């Protein structure tokens, strides 16, 4: 057995059976090993940002890591922005990155780079030294990826460690369970809430699964505290039959208005609320200066248990799930409001929303509290180009569920190749492109930072010259597509897309 074979078998034994890949010469032995060792689903992405973003989406839905296969430092570097997003999402990923052979590296051939340095910025790193170590290194990498709420683990594999004989398969290593929150911490938060002072529970990570949200609402009903998700979230279970949570809004003024008057911000897997950016003359922290920030549970702790324990400590009775008014799809011109209405009415049961809708999508989350039960996934690290890969990986991580990718046009152009993977793998993804022909959010940001734009600045925010034709772009990658200019057209296309198997793209003209 060579090192590459020991790698594939160790990954399989450790529960990794999906690999998003974009290989090169140094990964050829890994690729060849896939034919000799059955069981690994290998999914080709035509750019490394698709590979890493898909691994993020997969992990969010499957609840376990995928592997990625990336080519040398530069292949890893191409995938870094979405690894950054995945790190923020707190998901596990095991990157297998081929590299120069150990004896070739000192010769400084063209693809030689600081691969370890690039990987270190997103998490755990190790370089295998010889074939006999590869299996053991892979088992440790999987353990590292699955420790805490999940992290990015990168294993660098000089090509001779893969082709040399002497590979040894390693047994899976234990993964520590999520830590429990100490009873004293629960009691301390219960005392804060019993004071009756204005409080808000800020939920993140696993605190946004339906049962955890329900317990947060028990606490809210018993104490008068409010409940909200943080600004960006890995996965929120929501929709009809479940409790709704609002989210801290992106615009600083709106976020500060939402948190105005709060005396206690209680973090449950959330990070303290800060502005996405600093703006001249505005504070960086979003809660009032006099508010106290408390931590009930850190993201890697058992958040559902912490909320249940807190609700019990407060003797909070079960809260009643609200009923939502069923909406009919909207007709007439396209607007964020009409789109939200149609989405709420037509979203298929069990759908997974991959949200990179940026400006057009601001109101879509509140508009869909009462849609059929679904999961809502956001791009977590602010690096655009996450949405389409996220949708692709989510479809593989949760087969049988429809993925709806709400996608702004400028961000789509970063990783549009994801469509080709969706067509090749026949994934059930409906992509809705919001074509406004602009970097609209940056127009707002120009005003926010007080910059004085001239012609050149405005040109940098215009992507409508020449116009992008997403129907043609989509067709060229094997995904059927159609354009909608009004809500009736959208409604028909959306219902059609969600009924048929495989991917479909709707280009919605929003400006
Ligand atoms: C990797 C990365 N590059 C650049 C940016 C800066 N950026 C933020 S939003 C944006 C434009 C988004 O445009 P679009 O996706 O069309 O959404 P819209 O603003 O029109 O709603 C850019 C370039 C970023 N956030 N991340």
């Amino acid at each position: 057995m060579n090192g590459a074979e020991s790698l594939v078998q160790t990954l399989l034994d450790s529960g990794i059976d999906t690999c998003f890949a974009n290989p090169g010469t140094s990964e050829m032995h890994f690729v060849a090993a896939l034919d000799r060792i059955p069981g690994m689903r290998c999914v080709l992405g035509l750019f490394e940002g698709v590979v890493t973003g898909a691994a993020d989406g997969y992990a969010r839905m499957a609840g376990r890591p995928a592997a990625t296969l990336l080519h040398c430092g530069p292949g890893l570097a191409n995938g870094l922005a979405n690894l950054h997003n995945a790190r923020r999402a707190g998901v596990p990923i095991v990157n297998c990155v081929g590299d120069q052979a150990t004896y070739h590296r000192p010769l400084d051939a063209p693809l030689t780079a600081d691969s370890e340095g690039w990987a270190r910025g997103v998490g755990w790193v190790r370089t295998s030294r010889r074939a006999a170590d590869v299996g053991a290194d892979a088992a440790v990498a999987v353990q590292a990826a699955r420790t805490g709420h999940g992290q990015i683990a990168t294993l660098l594999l000089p090509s001779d460690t893969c082709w040399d004989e002497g590979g040894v398969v390693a047994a899976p290593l234990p993964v520590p369970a999520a830590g429990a929150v100490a009873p004293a911490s629960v009691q301390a938060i219960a005392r804060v809430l019993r004071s009756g002072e204005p409080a808000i529970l800020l939920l993140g990570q696993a605190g946004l699964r339906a049962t955890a949200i329900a317990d947060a609402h028990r606490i809210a009903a018993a104490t008068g505290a409010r409940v909200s998700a943080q600004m960006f979230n890995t996965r929120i279970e929501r929709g009809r039959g479940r409790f709704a949570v609002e989210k801290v809004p992106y615009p600083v003024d709106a976020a500060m208005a939402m948190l105005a008057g709060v005396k206690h911000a209680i973090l449950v897997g959330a990070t303290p609320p800060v502005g996405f950016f600093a703006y001249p003359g505005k504070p960086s922290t979003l809660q009032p200066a006099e508010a106290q920030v408390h931590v009930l549970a850190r993201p890697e702790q058992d958040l559902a248990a912490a909320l249940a324990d807190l609700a019990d400590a407060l003797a909070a009775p079960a809260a009643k799930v609200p009923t939502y008014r069923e909406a009919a799809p909207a007709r007439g011109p396209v607007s964020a409001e009409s789109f939200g209405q149609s989405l709420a009415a037509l979203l298929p049961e069990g759908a997974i929303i991959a949200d990179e809708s940026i400006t057009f999508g601001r109101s879509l989350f509140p508009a869909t509290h009462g849609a059929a039960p679904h999961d809502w996934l956001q791009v977590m690290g602010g690096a655009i180009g996450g949405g389409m890969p996220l949708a692709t990986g989510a479809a593989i991580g949760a087969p049988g569920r429809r993925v709806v990718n709400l996608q702004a046009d400028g961000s789509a152009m970063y990783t549009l190749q994801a469509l080709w993977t969706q067509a090749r793998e026949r994934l059930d993804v409906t992509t809705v492109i919001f074509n406004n022909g602009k970097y609209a959010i940056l127009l707002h940001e120009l005003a926010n930072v007080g910059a004085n734009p001239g012609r050149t600045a405005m040109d940098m925010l215009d992507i409508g010259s020449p116009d992008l034709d997403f129907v043609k772009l989509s067709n060229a990658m094997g995904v059927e597509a159609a354009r909608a200019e009004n809500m009736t057209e959208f409604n028909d296309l959306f219902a059609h897309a969600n009924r048929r198997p495989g991917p479909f793209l709707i280009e919605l003209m929003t400006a």
Side-chain angles (χ1 to χ4, degrees):
M1 166 174 286
N2 65 23
E5 289 162 340
S6 71
L7 172 64
V8 173
Q9 191 61 56
T10 301
L11 291 176
L12 284 167
D13 291 354
S14 303
I16 296 188
D17 60 7
T18 304
C19 177
F20 297 95
N22 188 269
T25 309
S26 46
E27 295 77 38
M28 283 303 135
H29 283 82
F30 184 103
V31 174
L34 294 169
D35 279 320
R36 289 193 291 276
I37 302 170
M40 185 71 77
R41 179 176 183 183
C42 241
V43 179
L44 181 59
L46 299 186
F47 173 66
E48 290 86 347
V50 174
V51 169
T52 53
D56 179 358
Y58 174 92
R60 293 194 202 188
M61 296 314 303
R64 59 201 167 94
T68 70
L69 184 61
L70 302 167
H71 181 52
C72 299
L76 169 69
N78 273 346
L80 276 180
N82 275 337
L83 287 175
H84 157 83
N85 285 329
R87 184 180 78 82
R88 290 274 174 199
V91 298
I93 295 178
V94 177
N95 298 313
C96 301
V97 183
D99 217 337
Q100 301 289 7
T102 49
Y103 56 85
H104 200 62
R105 167 164 277 277
L107 306 180
D108 202 28
L111 271 165
T112 311
D114 183 11
S115 314
E116 277 200 2
W118 288 343
R120 199 163 288 121
V122 289
W124 182 96
V125 193
R126 178 175 291 185
T127 301
S128 284
R129 300 288 162 207
R130 48 190 197 122
D133 295 342
V134 168
D137 289 340
V140 180
V142 178
Q143 184 186 44
R146 297 183 58 206
T147 297
H149 46 53
Q151 50 173 334
I152 314 301
T154 302
L155 182 59
L156 294 158
L157 297 148
S159 48
D160 51 336
T161 68
C162 286
W163 71 51
D164 279 352
E165 288 299 315
V168 183
V169 178
L173 294 171
V175 178
V181 170
S185 306
V186 173
Q187 290 302 338
I189 300 293
R191 275 195 299 278
V192 169
L193 289 170
R194 278 195 210 99
S195 75
E197 292 188 329
I200 188 163
L201 292 166
L202 288 172
L203 311 183
Q205 294 293 352
L208 290 161
R209 297 301 167 81
T211 49
I213 297 174
D215 279 325
H217 276 274
R218 277 173 69 197
I219 296 162
T223 62
R226 284 158 62 202
V227 178
S228 174
Q230 60 184 355
M231 193 183 288
F232 293 97
N233 297 285
T234 302
R235 177 176 172 187
I236 305 178
E237 287 181 341
R238 62 196 301 264
R240 256 196 312 277
R242 294 170 172 169
F243 288 93
V245 275
E246 52 184 336
K247 282 194 283 130
V248 175
Y250 170 90
V252 173
D253 292 338
M256 290 178 65
M258 175 196 174
L259 295 171
V262 164
K263 284 268 165 36
H264 302 282
I266 296 164
L267 307 181
V268 190
T271 50
V274 296
F276 198 79
F277 292 111
Y279 298 97
K282 293 193 178 168
S284 286
T285 48
L286 301 174
Q287 75 277 9
E290 64 278 11
Q292 283 183 47
V293 177
H294 310 263
V295 179
L296 171 65
R298 293 190 306 275
E300 70 277 12
Q301 291 184 296
D302 188 341
L303 306 180
L307 284 164
D309 288 352
L310 180 57
D312 291 345
L314 292 161
K320 193 170 152 356
V321 184
T323 48
Y324 302 97
R325 205 161 41 88
E326 292 224 7
R331 313 234 150 238
V334 175
S335 67
E337 197 186 17
S338 59
F339 181 82
Q341 189 182 325
S342 282
L343 186 65
L346 299 175
L347 192 70
E349 176 140 7
I352 300 160
I353 290 193
D355 174 19
E356 191 170 38
S357 54
I358 321 267
T359 317
F360 188 82
R362 293 256 169 87
S363 58
L364 301 182
F365 186 82
T368 48
H369 285 316
H374 62 277
D375 286 84
W376 192 287
L377 320 182
Q378 290 177 281
V379 175
M380 291 294 286
I384 62 174
M388 301 183 86
L390 204 57
T392 307
I396 293 174
R401 295 178 63 176
R402 190 82 203 172
V403 178
V404 174
N405 177 198
L406 303 176
Q407 186 58 54
D409 53 355
S411 304
M413 290 305 293
Y414 283 59
T415 43
L416 197 70
Q417 304 93 320
L419 289 174
W420 182 88
T421 302
Q422 291 173 17
R424 181 172 153 115
E425 300 289 327
R426 296 191 183 81
L427 302 178
D428 294 336
V429 180
T430 302
T431 301
V432 184
I433 299 278
F434 303 117
N435 186 341
N436 63 4
K438 316 188 241 305
Y439 284 167
I441 189 172
L442 299 185
L443 289 168
H444 298 285
E445 295 290 25
L446 260 179
N448 287 341
V449 296
N452 205 355
R455 176 71 201 271
T456 308
M458 294 308 282
D459 279 353
M460 291 304 101
L461 311 181
D462 169 22
I463 59 169
S465 168
D467 279 328
L468 289 159
D469 184 331
F470 283 93
V471 173
K472 281 193 187 149
L473 287 165
S474 183
N475 286 164
M477 283 183 276
V479 174
E480 260 189 76
R483 181 171 293 168
E485 313 247 7
N486 58 52
M487 288 314 298
T488 308
E489 286 173 7
F490 171 78
N491 297 339
D492 291 347
L493 285 170
F494 192 61
H496 162 78
N498 294 335
R499 264 197 310 270
R500 64 195 285 292
F504 192 91
L505 181 142
I506 303 169
E507 181 180 36
L508 184 69
M509 307 309 286
T510 63

